[in-house]
Amino acid sequence: MGQILRALIVEDSEDDTELLVLELEQQGYDPIYERVDTAKAMQAALDRATWDVIICDYSMPQFSAPAALALLQSRGLDIPFIIVSGTIGEDIAVAAMKAGAHDYLIKGNLVRLVPAIARELREAQERQARRAAQQALRENEERFRSLIENALDLIVVLAIDGTIQYTSPSSKTLFGYEPEAIAATNIFKYLHPEDISHVRQTFQNVIAQPGVTATAEFRCHHQDGSWRLLEASGKHFVEPSGTTRIIVNARDSTERRQAEEMRKALETEKELSELRSRFYSMMSHEFRSPLTAIQMTAQLMRDHSQAFEVNKQKECFQRILNATKRLGHLVDDVLVIGKAESGKFQVAPVPLDLSAFCQELITEFQLTSGKEHQIVFSYEGDGSDVAIDEEILRHVLSNLLANAIKYSPANTKIQFELQQKRDVAIIQVQDQGMGIPPEDLPHLFEPFHRASNVDRIPGTGLGLAIAKKFTELQGGIITATSELGVGTNFIVTLPLQAQL
Ligand code: ADP
C-alpha cells in the first residue's frame, strides 16, 4: 500500500484525470481523489473534505486555474496548488505562479509531478508548523500582555540609564501617573532623594549581573504629592536587538508597612501593659510585705515595749532592719534595671583573675546564704588575667548563685563551671532544684516575670532581667535550660579581651 494522498483534481477530461491518477499510483501514492470542473463543484469539494493537494488544468470550458486559485485563496486555505496543463505560454505560467500556484507541469511530461507534490506537501507542512508556532507565540504574548496590563503590581521596563521604556497601566492606580505621561522620563526623578543612592547601587548590580534578581525598597513620588513605599525586584534582560534592559516589578508596600508598624506598636503597647501589671503585682507583694512587717513591729513596740525584754526588743529592731534592707534591695534593683535599660551604664573593664574571682564569690556564698548547699567549682583554662568589669560580673553571677540556692532544696549540689578559652569565657551555674516550667522559659529574662511554680518563695523577677542586661553590656549572652523537678542550668558566655 502506498502513501494516501487526498487529491482534488480540477479537470474537465476524465482521461487526463485517469492518467494523472495512474502516474501518482505508479510513483507510490494511493490517491483518494475527486474530479471537479466547475467553481461550484470545487467549492462543494472543499466544504466536504480536506485535501492534501489540488491538481488543476489550466483551462476548462467552465472553469480555469486562475479562478480555481482565487477560489482557494478566498477561503484562506493553504493547500499546494499545482497546475498541470497542455502547453501554456511561459508568461501565463509565471503569472499563475505569481498569483500563488505552487508549480506548473506540462501534461505530456509528468515526471516532475510526484517530486513536486512531495516537495509541496513538505513545504505546506512546514508552513503549517510555522503558523502554529506563530499562533502559539501570539497567544502567549497576548496572555502575558493581558497579565501585565491587568496586574496590580507595577511593571516597568527601563533602559540602563533609568529611562522608562514601558510602564504597565497600574502606574495610574499606584502613582496617579498615566503610563504615557511618564514614558521616556527617568525613573530616578520619581524617587525620594534619600533613597536614590541605594537604589542606584542596586540598579548597577542588576546591570552588572545578568540573571540575578535584586530587590530594593524605596519611596516613590505620587502625583498627589505624597510618597509611596515600594517594594521592587529588578532583573537584567537583553532584547532580541541586543539592547540591555532592566525589568522591574514593584508593589506598593505603604499600607503593609503601616499595618506592620501598627501591629508592632500594639504589641509594644501590650508588652508594656503586661509589664505594668507584673510590676503592680510585684509591688503589691514585695513592697507591701516588708512595709507590713515594719508597721506591725513598730506598732507592737509602741504599745508593748515596756513589757519586752532586751532580746525581744532587739529581735523587733532586727525585723525592721531586715524589712528595710529588703526594701532597699528592691529599690536598688528597680533603679538598676531602669538605668541599664536607658543605656546609662558604663562598662569599666579591669584586669581580673577570673578563676580566683569566681572562687571568692563562691566562698562568700557558702559562708552566708549557701550554707545548706554544696557549691562545686570546676575550672578549665590557662589562668591568664582577662579584662572584665568586676562589678557587673559580680552582679550577674551573684544573681545566678542566689537563685540556684533559693530555688533548690537544702543539701543538693550546685555546680559552678568556668571554662576560660582564649577569647571567650563560658560560665555555667547548674542546680538540682525545682526547675522552670517550659512555658515560662521564653519569658524568664523579662523584668518582673516570675515562673508559675515559685509559690511563696520571695522574689521580684528583676534579677535575671538585670543579669541579661549586664551580660549584654559586655557583649555576652545568657541562656537557660531547665527541667521541672530535675534542675536548671544557666550559661553565661562572655567574649574576653586580653588583659588591658
Ligand atoms: P526572682 O527575684 O523572682 O528570683 P529572677 O529574675 O532572678 O527573679 O528570676 C526570675 C524567675 O526565674 C524566678 O522568679 C523563678 O521563677 C525563675 N528562676 C530563676 N532561677 C531559677 C532557678 N535556678 N531555678 C528555678 N527557677 C528559677
Side-chain angles (χ1 to χ4, degrees):
M1 263 243 302
Q3 185 190 339
I4 287 181
L5 180 75
R6 283 156 307 178
L8 179 61
I9 302 178
V10 187
E11 173 65 79
D12 60 321
S13 155
E14 274 185 31
D15 289 348
D16 287 355
T17 304
E18 267 172 32
L19 275 176
L20 271 173
V21 171
L22 204 61
E23 179 70 22
L24 290 173
E25 284 170 347
Q26 273 173 359
Q27 297 295 327
Y29 279 117
D30 195 359
I32 298 169
Y33 73 97
E34 188 176 333
R35 182 180 70 80
V36 292
D37 59 359
T38 62
K40 201 168 157 206
M42 179 172 166
Q43 203 140 10
L46 289 175
D47 283 341
R48 201 171 35 250
T50 49
W51 302 100
D52 297 322
V53 65
I54 296 173
I55 304 171
C56 184
D57 193 3
Y58 190 80
S59 60
M60 291 154 276
Q62 299 178 55
F63 208 16
S64 72
L69 191 56
L71 173 63
L72 180 67
Q73 287 167 342
S74 73
R75 309 199 35 150
L77 293 170
D78 178 19
I79 304 173
F81 189 93
I82 297 174
I83 298 173
V84 178
S85 171
T87 40
I88 53 170
E90 205 162 298
D91 46 345
I92 293 178
V94 169
M97 297 289 278
K98 271 193 184 151
H102 293 99
D103 208 342
Y104 85 92
L105 307 166
I106 305 295
K107 277 189 179 165
N109 180 11
L110 289 179
V111 274
R112 274 204 315 112
L113 178 65
V114 167
I117 290 176
R119 183 195 68 229
E120 287 310 320
L121 286 179
R122 202 173 50 246
E123 284 182 9
Q125 244 171 26
E126 283 167 11
R127 280 197 301 278
Q128 169 63 26
R130 239 188 337 268
R131 268 197 305 274
Q134 276 164 355
Q135 177 65 15
L137 196 68
R138 259 195 309 277
E139 281 171 7
N140 238 351
E141 273 177 7
E142 199 42 52
R143 207 168 16 243
F144 283 122
R145 176 165 297 278
S146 127
L147 273 177
I148 287 176
E149 306 272 296
N150 295 304
L152 294 175
D153 284 6
L154 177 69
I155 290 139
V156 184
V157 178
L158 301 170
I160 54 172
D161 64 352
T163 307
I164 299 171
Q165 306 290 318
Y166 168 84
T167 331
S168 60
S170 48
S171 66
K172 174 77 181 154
T173 37
L174 289 181
F175 303 108
Y177 294 106
E178 293 287 355
E180 306 77 53
I182 51 173
T185 59
N186 195 292
I187 192 81
F188 289 100
K189 185 173 124 183
Y190 304 95
L191 262 51
H192 193 285
E194 286 169 15
D195 295 336
I196 290 181
S197 103
H198 82 261
V199 176
R200 248 190 217 292
Q201 186 55 53
T202 313
F203 199 68
Q204 291 311 326
N205 291 347
V206 169
I207 293 172
Q209 299 170 49
V212 170
T213 303
T215 54
E217 207 173 42
F218 49 86
R219 284 155 292 176
C220 214
H221 192 256
H222 190 285
Q223 207 187 17
D224 67 10
S226 63
W227 292 101
R228 311 294 299 174
L229 187 68
L230 279 197
E231 217 174 40
S233 65
K235 199 170 175 177
H236 168 143
F237 80 99
V238 179
E239 284 189 336
S241 65
T243 317
T244 297
R245 299 279 188 235
I246 310 298
I247 182 152
V248 179
N249 186 323
R251 85 176 37 164
D252 190 335
S253 56
T254 316
E255 267 146 36
R256 184 184 55 74
R257 178 57 74 88
Q258 280 166 352
E260 232 167 57
E261 275 163 14
M262 177 79 89
R263 188 180 50 76
K264 268 195 204 141
L266 285 173
E267 249 168 38
T268 314
E269 178 55 38
K270 195 168 152 243
E271 274 166 21
L272 276 177
S273 98
E274 278 171 12
L275 193 67
R276 266 197 297 274
S277 80
R278 284 206 301 267
F279 178 70
Y280 291 138
S281 87
M282 186 277 295
M283 287 272 281
S284 61
H285 183 256
E286 289 302 307
F287 276 90
R288 192 174 286 279
S289 47
L291 280 175
T292 312
I294 292 170
Q295 194 183 17
M296 285 173 65
T297 317
Q299 271 171 3
L300 204 69
M301 289 184 72
R302 183 193 63 196
D303 299 341
H304 306 287
S305 62
Q306 293 92 335
F308 283 174
E309 316 154 2
V310 177
N311 277 352
K312 183 73 183 168
Q313 281 186 10
K314 270 191 181 165
E315 193 189 309
C316 288
F317 282 126
Q318 192 54 47
R319 204 178 299 155
I320 292 175
L321 283 173
N322 286 348
T324 50
K325 198 167 149 196
R326 201 166 140 197
L327 279 173
H329 277 313
L330 195 58
V331 172
D332 281 350
D333 278 357
V334 173
L335 291 179
V336 164
I337 191 94
K339 199 168 164 192
E341 292 211 319
S342 63
K344 283 188 188 144
F345 254 105
Q346 289 295 324
V347 185
V350 290
L352 191 71
D353 176 341
L354 203 51
S355 161
F357 170 82
C358 292
Q359 286 184 67
E360 273 164 35
L361 189 70
I362 290 168
T363 310
E364 273 170 39
F365 267 85
Q366 291 271 227
L367 291 174
T368 54
S369 51
K371 280 183 191 138
E372 292 175 334
H373 293 79
Q374 188 197 353
I375 308 178
V376 183
F377 177 69
S378 72
Y379 175 68
E380 204 183 292
D382 62 4
S384 57
D385 278 6
V386 294
I388 241 171
D389 186 316
E390 196 179 326
E391 263 325 291
I392 288 187
L393 187 61
R394 180 183 302 279
H395 217 112
V396 173
L397 298 182
S398 298
N399 180 260
L400 297 186
L401 274 171
N403 278 350
I405 292 166
K406 190 162 65 168
Y407 295 110
S408 55
N411 303 320
T412 52
K413 238 193 232 172
I414 294 167
Q415 308 263 11
F416 189 115
E417 257 179 55
L418 166 62
Q419 272 178 287
Q420 181 181 338
K421 299 184 182 161
R422 205 168 57 81
D423 49 7
V424 70
I426 302 168
I427 302 166
Q428 299 199 46
V429 180
Q430 186 165 19
D431 63 46
Q432 300 172 326
M434 60 199 280
I436 299 163
E439 62 277 14
D440 286 303
L441 270 176
H443 307 288
L444 218 54
F445 298 98
E446 293 168 13
F448 308 116
H449 188 93
R450 305 201 70 212
S452 55
N453 60 342
V454 291
D455 197 18
R456 291 174 165 272
I457 303 172
T460 60
L462 279 174
L464 284 181
I466 296 174
K468 181 170 189 278
K469 280 276 163 217
F470 278 1
T471 308
E472 286 170 356
L473 272 180
Q474 304 199 81
I477 50 169
I478 179 167
T479 55
T481 54
S482 186
E483 202 176 325
L484 274 179
V486 177
T488 302
N489 187 20
F490 282 91
I491 306 173
V492 177
T493 310
L494 289 174
L496 292 180
Q497 301 166 26
Q499 190 204 323
L500 289 177

